[in-house]
Amino acid sequence: MAKNDVVPSMRKYIIQLVILVTALAIVINALYMSMTWLATEIAKINDVYLRAEFQFLGTLVIVLLILIIIFAVIYRRRKRELTTLSESIRKVANGDFSAKITYNKSDSMAHVYRDFNKMSAELESVQVLRKDFINNYSHEFKTPIASINGFASLLLDKELPEEDQRTYLKIIQEESERLSNLTSNTILLSKLSSQKIVSDTECYDLGEQLRQCAIILSHEWLKKQQTFSGEFPHIDYVGNRELMKHLWINLISNAVKYTPPGGEISVRLSRQDSQIVVTVTDTGKGMDKKTLSHLFDPYYQGDRSHSNQGLGLGLSIAKQIIELCSGSIHVKSAVDEGSEFIVYLPSPAETKPVHSFRKSR
C-alpha cells in the first residue's frame, strides 16, 4: 500500500473508533439509568448495596451482549471481505487474470481491492502480450522458413528452367532478409527495454538527418505516387545519430505504408520553447480507439492486411528510443482522417532559418 493511502486509512479508523467509544459510553450511561429505574421503581429495591449490585450486573450483562453482537457483525464482515479477496487471488493463481473485485469507495478494504484490480489488469495485459508474441512471432518465423525450405527443395531439381530458378532464388533472398529484419528488430527492442542511458552521442544537424531519411525512403512514396512535403530547419541536437535515424525511418516508413496511393505525407521540424518538435502527418486510413490504445504494444497489429510486412515492432522500438532520450510521443488519429505523430525532444539549441521542400508525384 502506498504511503498516501495509509494516512487517510488510519485517520478513518481513528475517527470510527472515537465514534464507537462515544456511542458505547452513551449506551452504557443509558443502560445504567435504565437499570436504576428498574431497581427502584419496578423491583422496589431500596437497599443501596443491593441496588448498586443489581444495576452493575444488569448493565454489564447488557453491555456484553451488545459487544458480542458488534464483534459478530464485524467478524462476519471481515470474513466476507477476506473470503472475497481469497477467492479472487485463487482465480489469479489458477491463471484467470480477468478476475476483478467490485467494491465501494467507503469499504474498509477499498484500497486493497483497488490494488488487486490493478495487479490483475497488469497481469492480464502481460498475458495478452505473451499470447500475441507466441502466436505472431512463431507464425512470422515459420512462414519464411517454410518458404525458404520449399523453394530450396525445388532448386534441387536439375531440370528446373533457369527463369524459375531465378524466381525461386529471389523469393529465398526476400524471405531471408525478412527473417534477418525480424531478428534484428527483436534484439533491438530487447536491448532498448533494458538500456538506461544513450551512449555514443554527438552534436549534429537534426534537420539534415530528417531530410536524408526522407530521401532514403523516396523510392517508397514515389512508387505509391504520394506527395511528400517537409520543413527542416537547422537545429543542433545531441544524441546517438544511428539510433535517431532508426526512429525517423520507422515513423516515416510507417506513414508511407498506411497511406494509400496518391495520398500526402508531411514531416515538420520546429521548436517550441525548450523542446524540439517533429511532426509526421499522413492522409492514410487512420486508426480507431482500440488500435490507438495498443499502438505501442510490441507485436500488436491493428491492420492485419500489413501483417506480412513485419511483426508490429516498429512503433514499439520508436517509443523506446524516444523515452530513452527523455522525450515523448503523442498520436492524433481518427478513422478515414489520417494520423499525426508528434515527437517531443528536449534541447536548448536555437532554430536557424527554415529550409523546406515539396516533392509531388
Side-chain angles (χ1 to χ4, degrees), residues 309-328:
Q309 300 181 25
L311 260 178
L313 292 175
L315 291 178
S316 300
I317 292 173
K319 187 178 182 182
Q320 289 284 351
I321 294 173
I322 294 168
E323 291 180 348
L324 190 60
C325 298
S326 301
S328 61

Side-chain angles (χ1 to χ4, degrees), residues 332-347:
K332 300 178 182 177
S333 184
V335 177
D336 298 327
E337 295 182 11
S339 302
E340 184 178 62
F341 288 76
I342 308 171
V343 177
Y344 297 92
L345 297 171
S347 176

Side-chain angles (χ1 to χ4, degrees), residues 9-21 77 106 108:
S9 298
M10 291 181 62
R11 188 182 295 116
K12 183 175 70 174
Y13 291 142
I14 291 173
I15 293 173
Q16 290 177 351
L17 182 60
V18 171
I19 294 174
L20 180 61
V21 171
R77 181 178 179 182
S106 58
S108 59

Side-chain angles (χ1 to χ4, degrees), residues 98 102-103 127 143 226 232 237 265 269 283 289 296 317 319 330 337:
S98 63
T102 304
Y103 64 93
Q127 184 187 43
T143 302
Q226 296 167 339
F232 308 122
Y237 178 73
I265 298 169
L269 173 63
T283 57
K289 292 183 178 179
F296 298 105
I317 292 173
K319 187 178 182 182
H330 302 273
E337 295 182 11

